[in-house]
Structure formats: structure tokens, C-alpha cells
Amino acid sequence: FFMPKNKLQEIIFTILMVFVMVYAMVCYNIALNTGGMSNAVFLAAFRELPIMMPIAFILDFFLVGNLAKKAAFRMVDVKTERPFHLILAISAVSVAWMCPLMSLVATLLFKNAGSQIIAVWLETTVLNFPMAFCWQLFFAGPFVRFLFRNIFREKEAENENVYAADAQ
């Protein structure tokens, strides 16, 4: 179970996760708004990424990520439970916070809610939550952890070789 070990790794991990989550959720919301998926949805989603990715990164890196880790460590006994349980807890808490926050941002920026902002935000959150939860647990989370593990595996091996050489 490979987690970020320093700030640079946390930044890279968060960028990867934010990209995979935001792109999928933007595609999902465009498809909901246009009546279904089409090839055009994939391209249209790239127009919203420059707006939504920095917002998601800031929220996740500076607020939600820390809250999710603290909550997960209260829910999971890391001494007796598998590391996988901690990953699931962090993912679930992250979605529980990020989905309503990002749904609010999307409501304010992309929906003509008028005086119905609260109702439209709640509806958007309810529509987004099952997708965000399943996408995070079954696809985005495993995929990003796989990428991250492979990006830093070589660095980890290089560092071990340097430390081994220094010890001799």
C-alpha cells in the first residue's frame, strides 16, 4: 500500500486524482444536461477542466484531503486492519466532502439556478454522489494509485540503491 511520502508526492497524487475525477464528473454532468453520452461530450469536458481542476485541487489539497485522512484514521484501526480499509475510508470521506462542494461550484458557475440555488445544488449533489462514489472506489482510485505507484517505484528503488551504497 503506497501512499505519498512527502509534499511533492502529495501534490502529484492530488493532481492525478483531481484530473481523473473532475474529467469523469464533468463528462457525466454534460451527458446529463445534453440527454446522453456522445463523442462531443469528451471534447466539451476539456473546456471546463481549466476552471474546475484548480478549484478541486485547492479544495482537496488544502481542506478535504486533511479532513478525510483525520476522519479515516478515527474510523480504521491501522494496527489491526488492512491498509486497504484505510484507503476505502479516505476515499469515502473524500467523496462525501468533495461531491457537495464541487456540486455547489458547478451549480454556481454552470447552472442558471436563479433563486433556486439551494434546490439545484441539492439536486446536483444527489445526482452526482452515486457516480462520484462508484467512480472513485472502483475506477479512479485504483487507477491513480496504480499510476502513482509506478511513477514512484523507480524513484523508490533508486533511493534504496543509494542508501545501500552509502551504507557500504
Side-chain angles (χ1 to χ4, degrees):
F1 136 82
F2 194 79
M3 294 286 288
K5 291 181 170 66
N6 56 50
K7 280 292 178 201
L8 177 63
Q9 287 185 5
E10 284 183 42
I11 290 168
I12 291 168
F13 183 85
T14 304
I15 290 170
L16 290 170
M17 188 63 76
V18 163
F19 174 77
V20 173
M21 284 300 295
V22 169
Y23 182 71
M25 293 307 297
V26 168
C27 286
Y28 176 71
N29 278 278
I30 292 171
L32 286 177
N33 293 337
T34 60
M37 282 300 291
S38 69
N39 291 337
V41 168
F42 296 111
L43 291 175
F46 281 111
R47 287 192 290 269
E48 288 185 28
L49 277 181
I51 298 164
M52 297 301 277
M53 270 194 65
I55 294 168
F57 178 85
I58 290 166
L59 286 171
D60 189 44
F61 192 78
F62 294 105
L63 178 67
V64 173
N66 293 328
L67 291 172
K69 287 175 197 151
K70 286 178 186 173
F73 278 104
R74 282 195 302 264
M75 291 188 285
V76 175
D77 182 359
V78 292
K79 292 177 183 169
T80 61
E81 295 184 54
R82 294 179 174 198
F84 180 68
H85 296 151
L86 183 62
I87 290 170
L88 288 178
I90 292 170
S91 295
V93 174
S94 292
V95 171
W97 279 94
M98 287 297 286
C99 183
L101 289 170
M102 291 303 292
S103 293
L104 178 61
V105 169
T107 298
L108 295 173
L109 294 178
F110 300 109
K111 300 190 178 217
N112 296 325
S115 64
Q116 301 293 319
I117 288 175
I118 303 244
V120 172
W121 169 52
L122 291 173
E123 177 185 52
T124 303
T125 301
V126 168
L127 290 171
N128 283 334
F129 192 85
M131 174 63 176
F133 187 76
C134 290
W135 181 252
Q136 170 56 237
L137 261 58
F138 299 118
F139 300 100
F143 176 67
V144 169
R145 283 189 298 279
F146 170 80
L147 284 178
F148 186 79
R149 188 171 47 249
N150 284 299
I151 290 169
F152 287 99
R153 178 179 289 149
E154 291 177 10
K155 301 266 189 247
E156 196 77 6
E158 286 173 19
N159 289 341
E160 288 172 10
N161 290 339
V162 168
Y163 295 134
D166 286 346
Q168 293 176 354

